[in-house]
Amino acid sequence: MRPGKDPIPAYGGLIETPLGNMIALLNEQGALQCLEFLDEPWQQVPLSSWRGVELLHDSQAVAPIASQLQEYFAGRRRVFDLSLAPRGNDFLQEAWRHLREVPYGTTLTYGALAQRLERRTSARAIGRANAVNPIAIIVPCHRIIGADGSLTGYAGGLVRKQALLELEGGYLPARQRALW
């Protein structure tokens, strides 16, 4: 909870995925603001005031997100059709917009994404934008890899990042690439 402030109301709930439980938060207009993995068992997470948000459980609002994620994990969805409202400054919004343009089954390096934003020397800033991306999977920061082709940082953990890339068929581990 934010120190000294009332919690911000949001609608949402838990979504079960093959890679673990996720929490989805939506604003009053129904736009997705946050989707992230929960590493603790969901019963131990104080969801009523999760990260400064007063969570108002709404399984009906979460249903379209859960459905599209289920289709994605089943290999039947490559593009998400959801209203998004991540919170962030102009640079973060621009970085996340460009992330959404990275196609299913492909990867880019942090440097290549920085070039797309016309910020050639901002690979570290792009890395930071990925690190604070509040909408996992749908804003596909998992598709961004190191300059040497290695998996680097992912808020959901590198095991999940690799699993997502393997699901999409767009990642060949460096050790296998060397054999090519």
Side-chain angles (χ1 to χ4, degrees):
M1 198 143 103
R2 300 173 313 155
K5 297 187 178 181
D6 291 331
I8 300 166
Y11 301 89
L14 294 171
I15 298 172
E16 292 181 24
T17 78
L19 297 179
N21 289 325
M22 300 185 83
I23 187 167
L25 302 177
L26 299 95
N27 64 17
E28 290 180 355
Q29 293 75 38
L32 184 62
Q33 292 184 300
C34 178
L35 179 69
E36 52 181 78
F37 288 101
L38 295 174
D39 286 324
E40 306 98 36
W42 67 268
Q43 298 92 338
Q44 296 176 11
V45 179
L47 296 178
S48 61
S49 61
W50 187 77
R51 294 206 180 168
V53 172
E54 178 187 355
L55 181 62
L56 307 170
H57 289 274
D58 188 340
S59 56
Q60 192 172 13
V62 173
I65 301 160
S67 176
Q68 289 192 30
L69 283 170
Q70 183 179 23
E71 292 168 359
Y72 168 81
F73 281 108
R76 296 188 314 267
R77 177 171 291 276
R78 293 176 171 227
V79 176
F80 291 91
D81 182 24
L82 297 165
S83 178
L84 306 180
R87 291 186 180 162
N89 64 31
D90 290 344
F91 174 75
L92 293 173
Q93 294 292 336
E94 181 184 11
W96 298 333
R97 194 170 34 258
H98 281 274
L99 276 173
R100 289 192 304 267
E101 294 172 4
V102 179
Y104 179 99
T106 63
T107 57
L108 279 181
T109 64
Y110 292 95
L113 188 58
Q115 286 181 345
R116 287 184 178 204
L117 271 84
E118 298 180 2
R119 298 171 187 261
R120 291 190 172 100
T121 60
S122 298
R124 285 187 180 170
I126 295 302
R128 180 71 183 133
N130 275 12
V132 299
N133 170 21
I135 304 177
I137 300 174
I138 295 168
V139 177
C141 58
H142 62 275
R143 296 179 187 154
I144 308 303
I145 60 174
D148 64 356
S150 63
L151 296 184
T152 58
Y154 183 63
L158 292 181
V159 170
R160 285 186 181 121
K161 182 173 185 165
Q162 183 168 347
L164 292 168
L165 293 174
E166 288 174 358
L167 170 74
E168 295 181 7
Y171 178 69
L172 187 60
R175 65 181 180 279
Q176 291 178 359
R177 232 179 291 128
L179 300 175
W180 249 49

